[in-house]
Amino acid sequence: MPQISEKIHELTVGQLAARSGAAVSALHFYESKGLISSRRTPGNQRRYSRDTLRRVAFIRAAQRVGIPLATIREALAELPEERTPTRDDWARLSEAWRSELDERIQQLNRLRDHLTDCIGCGCLSLDTCVLSNPDDAFGGRRGTGSRLLVEHRGGPRGAGGR
């Protein structure tokens, strides 16, 4: 990892990428989503404050455990004056995210268990398919079997119908 002198208070996008391990394109994406910010030089080059390294580390750690970027952005926006997250911030936020992650793990376990049923069938045209037609949402109106379930504001609708 390249060392950057303590006298340097701003980093180029290349320096930030090298130190953080994030690709330059990822840093540009994070910036476009409001997760990090930079100032522009008179030559229109990005310059990041040194504390952006900690923000990028925070973002990447949260992503690795499955936290969506929108949730990360909301968490960072709650910090006063867009300050860099601290260890205490991480502890508080990770505790809040724990229940969300537990729920996703339960959902994935349910999907995995139902996938075994579909592998046994192989055709996804069971009378009630828990993956394509969860809870047989169309059984009463359109007959049993696999249907594409499309969510709309007024509730679920089958593909091609109203």
Side-chain angles (χ1 to χ4, degrees), residues 32-80:
S32 74
K33 296 299 179 187
L35 297 163
I36 62 175
S37 60
S38 66
R39 74 167 185 87
R40 296 296 183 127
T41 67
N44 204 29
Q45 296 176 333
R46 290 177 168 93
R47 292 293 185 265
Y48 298 92
S49 64
R50 286 183 74 94
D51 65 347
T52 305
L53 277 168
R54 184 178 291 269
R55 275 180 92 83
V56 172
F58 178 92
I59 294 163
R60 291 176 51 116
Q63 281 185 295
R64 274 194 294 279
V65 297
I67 305 301
L69 283 179
T71 303
I72 297 168
R73 182 178 53 246
E74 290 169 8
L76 290 171
E78 290 176 9
L79 298 176

Side-chain angles (χ1 to χ4, degrees), residues 23-36 63 69:
V24 169
S25 59
L27 296 172
H28 290 170
F29 180 74
Y30 293 161
E31 190 169 357
S32 74
K33 296 299 179 187
L35 297 163
I36 62 175
Q63 281 185 295
L69 283 179

Side-chain angles (χ1 to χ4, degrees), residues 107-138 145-150:
Q107 282 180 321
L108 288 171
N109 284 332
R110 283 192 300 270
L111 284 172
R112 180 202 56 216
D113 295 344
H114 291 306
L115 181 62
T116 303
D117 296 338
C118 285
I119 290 171
C121 168
C123 69
L124 295 178
S125 64
L126 299 168
D127 286 341
T128 58
C129 179
V130 295
L131 293 178
S132 296
N133 188 8
D135 301 321
D136 194 22
F138 296 107
S146 177
R147 305 246 190 288
L148 176 62
L149 182 65
V150 180

Side-chain angles (χ1 to χ4, degrees), residues 2-20:
Q3 294 298 314
I4 298 172
S5 168
E6 292 293 322
K7 295 177 185 175
I8 298 176
H9 298 289
E10 291 186 316
L11 307 173
T12 66
V13 71
Q15 289 170 323
L16 182 60
R19 288 292 308 274
S20 69

